Amino acid sequence: MVPPVPQPTARRLRVYAFDPNAALDLGTTRFASATISLAWNEATEEPLAPGPVNEYLEVIDIDPCSRQFYGAVDLDAPDVLAQDGLPPSEGDPRFHQQMVFAVAMKTIKLFERALGRKVLWAPAWDDEKKTYVATPKLRVYPHAIRDQNAYYSREKRALLFGYFATTRRSAGASWIFTALSHDIIVHETTHAILDGLHPRYSEPTSPDSLAFHEAFADIAALFSHFQLPEAVHAYIEANGGKLDESGLLSGLAGQFAQGTTGRGSLRDYIDRQPDPDLLEGTIEPHERGAILVAAVFDAFLTIYGARTGDLLRMSGADVGGGARLHPDLVARLTREAGKAADHVLRMCIRALDYLPPVDVRFGEFLRAIVTADTDLIPDDTLHYRLAFVQAFRRRGIFPENCLSMSPDNLLWDMQPQDPGDPGFLGIGDIQNQGLDFVPRYRRGDIIAVSEENRRKLWHWLVKPDLQKPEIDRRWEAALGVYFQRPDGRPLHTISGRSTGLKVEVASVRTTRRSGPDGQDIRQLVIEVTQRRRGYFDAERQRIEDGTETGPDVPPRDFIFRGGATLIVDLRDNTLRYVIRKRIDDDDRLQRQREQLMRSDAMGFTYDRGRSNEPFAMLHRM
Amino acid sequence: MAQAPRRTARPRTSEQETVSVRMYRGLLGDCFLLTHRIGKRVFRTLFDCGVLQAIGSAKPETKAGVAHMADVVRNLFDETGGELDLVVATHEHYDHLSGFILQDELWDTFKIHAVWFAWTENYADPLANDIRLNRSKGLATLSALVAGAKAGQAFGLVPDELEETVARVQDLLQFYGEIEPVAVVGHALTGAAAHDPAAPANPRPSGRPPKVPPVSCQDVLDWLKTRPEDPGKVRYLEPGQQVRFGLDDRLQATVFGPPRTRDRLLQLDPSKGGGREVYLVQPGEVGALAKTLAMRSEQQAGGALVAGDYPFADRFRRWEDAASDDPLAAAYYATDPRNAKRRIDGEWLGSAETLALKIDGDVNNTSLALAVEVPGRDVLLFPGDAQVGNWLSWHDRKYPAEPATKDVPQETAEQILNRVVFYKVGHHASHNATAREKGLELMLSPDLVAMIPVVEAVAKEQKTKNNPDGWAMPYRDLYARLKEKTRGRIVRGDGDPATEAAAFKAADGRFALAFGTGEQPLWAEVTMKVTAA
């Protein structure tokens, strides 16, 4: 009998490092292509099929504008396997399929590593069953439209990549495919991941909400550049160790920008003179998001400086003085840049669990970054957190109701841990609800278990405590939602009966994260939300709030949501944080109203038809 | 109409000087007559003359507006004796110019001494031509889509999907009248025709002569250009200019917009901030849609494939085929409804609608926005249908942009807006044609009055599946704020005269309000005595 051959360690797939145009430029040909290593058929995952189709993605290469349906690449074909996937080529649609697949998968795995759990897509509404059903696979259409656009479609749960002909010579090609731009693929995939994590973030509740989506997608795309050591190496070599020059690394979607406007990059995130007042008047989502991305990039540069200061001093190198650095030093700097970028991106991704379920603000993102990082890595020896705080402060991004901008003041308030404390919330009985915390590895199982946990938690949460109603009131105060109509102010705009108001447990997720010094965190993240009918007219709002409704609920102008994210430490079953947005917060309601009525917020809003696809409109860049 | 600012002549003593603005009512469209009077002398300026028209549609209120136009132009003739000192055509939209098409015979009898346009209407301006050509291509493409669909072409799509989009695109196309065909792919532009003594002074770049009588808004503009006897009285105004007019040159128009900018896109650089997209339609966008349409027609007709039309070489091509047994195709074409929602066959059609909307916004943004200053420094604001991008650009410079001499003081847009006492509400008071902080909130005069050329019933008729309530005109929140700012002194095209007169009376102020005769008077007019300095 033939002894078994050891399994390969990875499936290696070639992609363009940036885009086909960077591959043409003589200065950058050295790192024109990169190789992405994905796990070889993981035991817990569905095997790879032509398309490529796997557990997470299904690439379907239909091109409706040309009325073509291109043949799918089989990544398991021996000829393909033997050469790390098809070689980069603009002219072979199968390579396009390979590249979108590889880059999207790499992005998914990056998020999973930082989040400590599997990525799940936003569920879809089923018209027949009148409920949300899970989306096992995200669709990817590499040639969906002939347009200077690529977007994540919420309705189709799909990534749509466009392509177009250009006459601008600087683009270096006559056809430009957004599916061949590394940055664009990461950006769109991140939209999909974020939407799966926080489905309510795509609602325009404040100038920050849509901007946050854009900013986060750009952050992921930007820091993915630093996973290309060859490119970083060449860049550091050319710039004498400095990273703060605008260029390939700090810019996004070079070829797309060349092909559409002739500019060097779509957005560049080096801003030398941050303006703390700029945020105030910047409303357009990309512009506003750019301020957040610039802040994160600034934090990264500070961290890179802190990590490499000693190296540069030891080498006696004259940084930025034009002299060539020693190749060993360049190699070390490259590693440090890669590490710093990885850390920064992970800090940002981890923060996603520490955000409220609705109506996110930039300042809250900063608090989430600081808190999540403190929980995992209590000792901040290299002052990463301070670097973030400083960068945000320089751009006028301040959290509301925060005493000062020192990292310890930015931590989310810890829940009282002493049972005698009047605000104490015991969750000891949560264990009796039959929640299932056994780690699962198959995504199908994870979806099923978390759905079951969600149902159980909902029962636990909304079941009134008949003996001690004050405990329920205490929970209401903590979560910012109401289980029963409050006495003083009835808020009839929240649906429900006398037995209880409608409250949704939006999601229940378990995470497991490890810190650099062996820290191990196991957490349960629960999102609780509630909706209230909102009206453009404040007076009408007041009247509706006070008017009892019959079975026919009057129509609303918009939905106003409140709720909280609960973070439970599963090591000792204590409630650590409750990050809330109160449903009865009329100031917040007023701000959402203003946002919806803002004349220049979304361009042509007298057409409400396309508002269910916010990203399609936003991305017509 | 000298351009250089000069001291205004004092009117002869004891003669009363007034300015009044007459709005023709019952139109979802603009027709405003500004009259400057000193004693018995008058100077008449017309701002636009148009009404929304839904071609071939059965919308009763809209039709009524069109029929109404005959009375309007007749009244205008009687009022002015068929003589207009100045006509200002703000932009190329039907609801501002269709009066000239519907009543062309009567208009032919008018004497027009001077006409003003925005620089965007000047065929000698290369940037204006770029913007126009791009727009014309877009319009030609969209009208080909509509025409194709009407002729029963399915473009390989599900009929429902096509019908809905076509209806929406057609609604937006009705703003232009007949659309001139343009070669969309390639550069088939011919130069102007060889010199012909009868050729107009400002010939169309396409070389195609305008139709007489006019059938499109562009024809109207070309017709207007021929009206003044003195060709020097046809002016194309640039932002930052200040032009004197009226009796004894006592009025001064400050040109706020349209902005002259090539920076159309991607104002996302955080270090820049300032600029903003104003003209959104990009050449590539038009080309792609045109190409897709052309290919669809070609494919349907069974024509030969043109290699350059397809992104990939022959060997990679595979015709889409719903009956294929390929597993991916089977998954894609699977018939359950949840899957059907995820298909993308008609996704390209979405770009037609986006394009139509963008063109619509672009044209509104080419509106000639004028602030008319009267002696005593009060300002009457006529912004056309300028949308937000246009409004914001007003603050990019000072006025006059280039003072003739050093000692001419320059003013900011804010200073000028602070003195606005009359506001012709832009775009029938839609949500996105009145800037808030940089616009309405800067109008500080306690005497402020507003006129809204709107007929809500007509706006409500413009329904589509995705927009079941029609157009929100006037937009509720803007309207509420206008009411506050004007202390109720708002005159609407469909208002109740008694209520409006009462509101003017109650709030007092500088303007007197008068109406034409009858229960539904043809016009409303506000008049202000000029407190001459």
Side-chain angles (χ1 to χ4, degrees):
Chain A
M1 203 180 96
V2 185
V5 177
Q7 285 271 297
T9 53
R11 176 189 300 277
R12 294 161 57 81
L13 294 170
R14 282 186 279 179
V15 297
Y16 285 115
F18 293 92
D19 55 38
N21 197 34
L24 283 179
D25 188 344
L26 210 55
T28 51
T29 40
R30 266 195 297 154
F31 47 85
S33 67
T35 308
I36 288 177
S37 292
L38 300 176
W40 185 260
N41 302 334
E42 259 191 67
T44 58
E45 287 183 8
E46 191 181 292
L48 188 70
V53 176
N54 74 351
E55 179 115 348
Y56 294 86
L57 304 171
E58 49 188 356
V59 180
I60 297 186
D61 203 356
I62 184 167
D63 175 356
C65 293
S66 309
R67 311 198 72 172
Q68 303 286 304
F69 205 136
Y70 306 113
V73 64
D74 178 6
L75 294 179
D76 279 334
D79 290 351
V80 177
L81 279 176
Q83 49 175 334
D84 293 352
L86 296 171
S89 154
E90 290 162 275
D92 187 340
R94 293 168 305 178
F95 171 73
H96 299 204
Q97 300 155 9
Q98 169 181 310
M99 176 153 171
V100 277
F101 174 77
V103 176
M105 276 313 294
K106 188 185 76 163
T107 311
I108 292 166
K109 290 297 170 186
L110 187 91
F111 271 80
E112 289 192 342
R113 208 164 46 111
L115 285 173
R117 61 166 181 275
K118 297 270 183 187
V119 159
L120 303 178
W121 309 118
W125 180 255
D126 189 313
D127 277 337
E128 280 168 23
K129 294 185 191 154
K130 297 288 174 215
T131 178
Y132 283 100
V133 290
T135 305
K137 292 171 190 175
L138 183 72
R139 283 257 168 107
V140 181
Y141 294 113
H143 304 102
I145 39 176
R146 282 196 184 200
D147 202 349
Q148 299 167 357
N149 198 3
Y151 58 91
Y152 162 61
S153 162
R154 295 193 83 209
E155 202 166 277
K156 300 185 192 302
R157 282 148 297 120
L159 304 183
L160 278 73
F161 292 93
Y163 66 95
F164 56 98
T166 179
T167 48
R168 286 188 190 265
R169 282 154 198 250
S170 57
S174 51
W175 291 97
I176 292 179
F177 301 94
T178 57
L180 294 183
S181 164
H182 195 283
D183 293 337
I184 294 177
I185 303 170
V186 176
H187 182 104
E188 303 311 334
T189 311
T190 305
H191 273 312
I193 295 173
L194 193 54
D195 194 39
L197 213 51
H198 290 294
R200 302 298 180 211
Y201 281 13
S202 57
E203 296 175 357
T205 50
S206 78
D208 280 359
S209 52
L210 284 177
F212 182 79
H213 237 284
E214 290 305 320
F216 208 89
D218 269 4
I219 289 171
L222 196 58
F223 286 103
S224 69
H225 292 174
F226 292 89
Q227 291 163 350
L228 306 165
E230 299 89 347
V232 181
H233 189 280
Y235 185 87
I236 286 180
E237 198 172 38
N239 290 290
K242 285 166 57 141
L243 280 181
D244 54 354
E245 295 291 330
S246 298
L248 205 50
L249 290 181
S250 62
L252 286 182
Q255 188 189 30
F256 181 87
Q258 295 273 8
T260 49
T261 62
R263 290 209 204 176
S265 65
L266 193 53
R267 297 188 271 281
D268 195 293
Y269 284 114
I270 302 266
D271 60 338
R272 283 177 194 287
Q273 285 143 346
D275 173 4
D277 297 324
L278 184 61
L279 191 69
E280 184 84 26
T282 309
I283 301 300
E284 197 279 327
H286 288 93
E287 282 176 39
R288 194 172 171 89
I291 299 172
L292 183 63
V293 186
V296 173
F297 200 71
D298 183 359
F300 159 72
L301 291 176
T302 311
I303 290 167
Y304 169 75
R307 293 186 69 100
T308 55
D310 56 342
L311 273 174
L312 293 167
R313 280 192 299 278
M314 276 191 294
S315 71
D318 171 20
V319 176
R324 281 179 76 86
L325 302 182
H326 191 282
D328 285 351
L329 181 60
V330 174
R332 284 282 285 110
L333 291 174
T334 304
R335 270 215 300 283
E336 293 299 331
K339 245 188 208 163
D342 186 44
H343 292 165
V344 167
L345 183 54
R346 283 213 219 185
M347 281 172 86
C348 292
I349 296 175
R350 280 197 303 257
L352 292 176
D353 274 346
Y354 285 69
L355 290 173
V358 297
D359 195 13
V360 68
R361 304 281 162 81
F362 288 179
E364 288 162 349
F365 183 49
L366 177 62
R367 295 190 74 172
I369 290 173
V370 172
T371 314
D373 194 59
T374 309
D375 276 0
L376 189 63
I377 307 161
D379 208 4
D380 187 17
T381 45
L382 284 169
H383 305 297
Y384 278 23
R385 301 197 276 268
L386 204 57
F388 268 93
V389 173
Q390 214 169 46
F392 276 59
R393 191 169 59 187
R394 287 167 62 190
R395 284 163 189 80
I397 305 174
F398 299 113
E400 290 159 41
N401 312 323
C402 224
L403 195 64
S404 83
M405 284 286 273
S406 69
D408 49 316
N409 266 314
L410 289 171
L411 294 175
W412 287 121
D413 296 330
M414 183 94 83
Q415 279 295 306
Q417 303 292 315
D418 171 12
D421 191 294
F424 177 77
L425 296 173
I427 53 163
D429 56 337
I430 202 173
Q431 286 297 15
N432 309 332
Q433 305 305 314
L435 295 180
D436 182 348
F437 295 142
V438 181
R440 297 295 203 290
Y441 298 98
R442 290 179 193 280
R443 286 173 79 238
D445 297 347
I446 295 170
I447 293 170
V449 167
S450 74
E451 192 54 31
E452 191 55 29
N453 282 345
R454 199 165 74 87
R455 207 173 50 77
K456 288 174 179 164
L457 261 169
W458 181 80
H459 278 293
W460 171 74
L461 197 64
V462 302
K463 189 180 61 196
D465 194 328
L466 297 173
Q467 266 83 47
K468 290 189 201 160
E470 70 272 15
I471 298 283
D472 283 348
R473 301 291 86 76
R474 206 184 274 185
W475 273 99
E476 283 178 346
L479 298 176
V481 302
Y482 288 107
F483 300 123
Q484 301 209 323
R485 261 184 226 301
D487 291 333
R489 203 178 152 215
L491 287 182
H492 288 290
T493 42
I494 303 173
S495 317
R497 296 198 202 103
S498 57
T499 47
L501 301 182
K502 279 188 188 166
V503 175
E504 185 190 30
V505 173
S507 72
V508 176
R509 331 182 267 259
T510 50
T511 68
R512 176 169 205 157
R513 294 170 188 170
S514 311
D517 299 325
Q519 299 93 331
D520 177 41
I521 292 195
R522 289 198 56 203
Q523 286 175 332
L524 180 66
V525 183
I526 306 166
E527 289 188 339
V528 180
T529 57
Q530 189 163 52
R531 50 198 278 182
R532 175 177 163 196
R533 283 175 284 127
Y535 294 92
F536 290 133
D537 186 71
E539 181 55 23
R540 169 117 195 256
Q541 183 81 47
R542 203 185 56 77
I543 294 166
E544 294 285 350
D545 278 341
T547 312
E548 205 164 332
T549 61
D552 292 328
V553 179
R556 54 175 157 73
D557 288 342
F558 60 94
I559 300 175
F560 177 68
R561 292 179 206 275
T565 300
L566 287 81
I567 297 180
V568 176
D569 191 331
L570 283 178
R571 290 172 302 187
D572 54 2
N573 282 318
T574 53
L575 182 60
R576 303 271 292 187
Y577 307 100
V578 178
I579 302 155
R580 81 188 136 256
K581 290 275 182 174
R582 302 195 58 87
I583 190 77
D584 57 3
D585 183 342
D586 286 338
D587 292 340
R588 199 163 65 78
L589 178 67
Q590 175 58 23
R591 267 191 286 178
Q592 176 165 344
R593 200 179 275 148
E594 279 167 18
Q595 171 67 17
L596 291 168
M597 283 158 36
R598 202 183 290 281
S599 55
D600 51 350
M602 283 287 287
F604 334 90
T605 42
Y606 70 98
D607 177 24
R608 285 179 291 176
R610 288 180 80 83
S611 58
N612 52 353
E613 293 283 15
F615 303 113
M617 285 299 267
L618 272 185
H619 276 227
R620 293 188 182 273
M621 347 202 194
Chain B
M1 273 191 292
Q3 184 170 11
R6 66 174 184 222
R7 197 165 285 276
T8 51
R10 256 175 203 284
R12 274 159 278 173
T13 47
S14 81
E15 283 197 320
Q16 197 176 58
E17 181 174 10
T18 59
V19 285
S20 48
V21 182
R22 173 176 291 195
M23 173 175 77
Y24 283 94
R25 303 172 74 252
L27 306 171
L28 186 66
D30 280 25
C31 186
F32 285 85
L33 182 67
L34 168 70
T35 310
H36 182 206
R37 265 199 183 83
I38 301 176
K40 291 211 165 89
R41 295 184 297 145
V42 275
F43 185 99
R44 294 193 179 89
T45 306
L46 180 75
F47 284 84
D48 294 336
C49 181
V51 61
L52 181 80
Q53 184 188 21
I55 298 147
S57 106
K59 297 168 183 166
E61 301 283 347
T62 315
K63 283 218 150 120
V66 173
H68 192 53
M69 189 43 95
D71 299 337
V72 169
V73 181
R74 173 52 61 193
N75 179 276
L76 201 56
F77 192 92
D78 296 342
E79 171 72 21
T80 61
E83 191 167 346
L84 286 164
D85 297 287
L86 173 63
V87 172
V88 180
T90 59
H91 66 291
E92 193 192 324
H93 262 166
Y94 214 76
D95 53 335
H96 289 251
L97 300 176
S98 65
F100 296 97
I101 299 174
L102 299 168
Q103 297 299 322
D104 63 290
E105 285 179 17
L106 189 49
W107 270 111
D108 263 333
T109 63
F110 270 84
K111 248 191 164 156
I112 298 172
H113 295 295
V115 288
W116 288 358
F117 304 101
W119 63 271
T120 45
E121 313 309 333
N122 187 355
Y123 298 141
D125 187 316
L127 178 55
N129 286 342
D130 267 9
I131 296 173
R132 165 180 312 285
L133 175 63
N134 206 21
R135 185 165 78 216
S136 311
K137 285 180 176 179
L139 288 173
T141 305
L142 292 170
S143 62
L145 168 69
V146 172
K150 297 270 152 183
Q153 219 180 328
F155 298 105
L157 291 171
V158 194
D160 286 0
E161 202 172 23
L162 185 66
E163 216 169 280
E164 177 62 19
T165 307
V166 165
R168 285 146 69 82
V169 168
Q170 196 183 10
D171 270 357
L172 288 160
L173 289 182
Q174 71 190 20
F175 281 101
Y176 303 90
E178 193 173 285
I179 288 160
E180 191 180 74
V182 181
V184 177
V185 186
H187 298 274
L189 263 188
T190 54
H195 185 71
D196 166 3
N202 194 247
R204 284 188 189 186
S206 65
R208 225 176 257 120
K211 291 199 175 147
V212 183
V215 293
S216 73
C217 292
Q218 202 185 346
D219 293 339
V220 171
L221 295 178
D222 285 331
W223 176 81
L224 279 171
K225 288 173 190 179
T226 63
R227 298 310 285 174
E229 272 174 22
D230 172 5
K233 301 266 176 170
V234 178
R235 298 197 58 171
Y236 303 96
L237 303 181
E238 301 269 345
Q241 268 183 318
Q242 290 190 323
V243 189
R244 294 218 155 257
F245 69 113
L247 293 170
D248 306 330
D249 271 353
R250 287 172 61 79
L251 306 180
Q252 172 177 272
T254 296
V255 185
F256 275 155
R260 178 172 266 286
T261 170
R262 241 175 214 286
D263 254 350
R264 298 183 198 180
L265 281 174
L266 305 167
Q267 302 286 352
L268 304 168
D269 191 339
S271 59
K272 273 182 71 181
R276 184 164 285 267
E277 306 174 20
V278 180
Y279 311 111
L280 294 150
V281 176
Q282 287 189 73
E285 197 173 358
V286 179
L289 181 65
K291 192 84 233 176
T292 307
L293 277 177
M295 282 172 66
R296 292 260 159 177
S297 310
E298 187 77 352
Q299 286 156 350
Q300 208 152 28
L305 297 185
V306 181
D309 288 353
Y310 294 84
F312 300 110
D314 275 349
R315 62 183 182 283
F316 295 115
R317 269 192 232 131
R318 201 176 61 165
W319 195 247
E320 67 173 15
D321 173 16
S324 158
D325 54 2
D326 176 293
L328 278 178
Y332 181 80
Y333 291 111
T335 45
D336 81 279
R338 258 195 290 148
N339 181 68
K341 260 203 250 174
R342 300 182 78 178
R343 285 170 58 168
I344 56 169
D345 310 63
E347 198 66 18
W348 63 272
L349 206 57
S351 67
E353 214 177 302
T354 318
L355 180 65
L357 278 169
K358 279 189 187 177
I359 291 176
D360 188 55
D362 279 11
V363 174
N364 281 336
N365 266 338
T366 60
S367 282
L368 178 61
L370 295 180
V372 176
E373 187 174 311
V374 302
R377 310 223 66 198
D378 294 311
V379 172
L380 318 177
L381 184 65
F382 292 92
D385 281 351
Q387 293 194 345
V388 173
N390 187 325
W391 281 76
L392 294 180
S393 74
W394 302 353
H395 300 273
D396 293 350
R397 74 183 62 75
K398 289 190 170 178
Y399 302 89
E402 286 161 11
T405 56
K406 268 204 191 119
D407 52 325
V408 176
Q410 283 182 303
E411 278 194 301
T412 62
E414 182 172 343
Q415 286 169 312
I416 298 172
L417 287 171
N418 283 165
R419 299 196 304 268
V420 169
V421 292
F422 168 91
Y423 172 37
K424 192 296 287 185
V425 182
H427 203 222
H428 327 292
S430 81
H431 76 287
N432 61 351
T434 300
R436 186 184 302 202
E437 274 81 17
K438 298 278 189 180
L440 185 55
E441 296 305 321
L442 296 177
M443 301 178 198
L444 301 177
S445 168
D447 293 315
L448 182 69
V449 301
M451 285 184 138
I452 311 178
V454 72
V455 180
E456 197 165 358
V458 176
K460 283 221 166 90
E461 269 182 351
Q462 316 303 318
K463 292 176 192 173
T464 55
K465 196 167 87 194
N466 287 343
N467 216 356
D469 307 330
W471 295 339
M473 290 172 175
Y475 188 65
R476 189 166 51 183
D477 304 295
L478 169 64
Y479 189 60
R481 187 64 188 139
L482 275 170
K483 258 188 172 162
E484 287 170 17
K485 294 288 286 184
T486 59
R487 298 165 62 204
R489 289 168 304 207
I490 297 181
V491 186
R492 280 174 59 152
D494 57 354
D496 171 44
T499 319
E500 288 175 351
F504 266 67
K505 206 160 209 169
D508 210 5
R510 308 251 316 266
F511 282 98
L513 173 62
F515 288 95
T517 52
E519 211 162 287
Q520 275 306 321
L522 199 54
W523 51 263
E525 190 167 84
V526 291
T527 303
M528 179 177 79
K529 271 186 218 159
V530 171
T531 48

